[in-house]
Amino acid sequence: MNLYKLLDQNLIPYSSGLQKITYLKLKADYNVLYNDVQPILDIQSIVSDYEMAWNLSYSLLCPTHPLRLNVAYLLSNYYYFKLRDINKAIDLAKLSINEGIDKLSSLELNDYKESSLSMQLIYYDLKAWESKQ
């Protein structure tokens, strides 16, 4: 059984919470890599998995959670580079930065480092995209 089938048929349907977010992101990541080698999926199916991961992470995880920030980063980049939806990319990046920045100061040092690094990546992309508008 390949990884895609394992995730799609055995893990995602029977998981919830953080585990489900992780599996959805992993499925989308796997499809991104697989599509680079052998394009068989349309981009929208990959975005759909990232969007499901984002929606779950948005409702379940705090704004500074590394997984939530990572999904936001990947999805906003997919909006920008693959779907060419600049406004969606910018809106998601802004939302992630604005909600996360308020919570950063309350984090322990290790969590702060990881979250602030992810937020910096999102911020750099946001500024680059805004400068091209």
Side-chain angles (χ1 to χ4, degrees):
M1 179 178 287
N2 71 26
L3 180 60
Y4 178 84
K5 284 183 182 175
L6 176 68
L7 288 165
D8 203 43
Q9 296 172 4
N10 297 76
L11 298 175
I12 293 171
Y14 304 105
S15 61
S16 62
L18 184 61
Q19 198 174 45
K20 188 169 200 135
I21 297 164
T22 302
Y23 291 151
L24 286 165
K25 182 197 162 296
L26 184 60
K27 180 182 166 195
D29 292 346
Y30 173 81
N31 286 331
V32 167
L33 296 173
Y34 192 80
N35 245 23
D36 285 346
V37 175
Q38 185 178 357
I40 58 168
L41 293 172
D42 66 311
I43 299 301
Q44 191 56 49
S45 65
I46 295 169
V47 170
S48 178
D49 287 330
Y50 278 137
E51 285 176 336
M52 284 190 282
W54 167 250
N55 290 334
L56 265 176
S57 68
Y58 187 80
S59 65
L60 297 176
L61 304 177
C62 77
T64 55
H65 194 286
L67 182 58
R68 177 176 161 169
L69 291 170
N70 188 249
V71 171
Y73 174 77
L74 293 167
L75 180 56
S76 63
N77 273 272
Y78 236 77
Y79 284 151
Y80 188 86
F81 292 108
K82 297 295 185 179
L83 296 182
R84 303 284 185 217
D85 192 336
I86 296 165
N87 291 328
K88 257 186 164 176
I90 288 174
D91 289 346
L92 180 56
K94 280 183 180 178
L95 177 68
S96 298
I97 294 295
N98 291 339
E99 289 189 356
I101 204 86
D102 293 335
K103 306 284 187 209
L104 262 175
S105 62
S106 64
L107 297 177
E108 298 292 325
L109 184 59
N110 286 339
D111 294 335
Y112 176 86
K113 287 179 182 178
E114 189 171 0
S115 294
S116 64
L117 179 60
S118 296
M119 288 178 63
Q120 282 179 332
L121 293 173
I122 296 169
Y123 179 79
Y124 293 148
D125 283 347
L126 174 61
K127 290 304 160 195
W129 299 336
E130 287 179 329
S131 72
K132 293 178 183 176
Q133 275 194 316

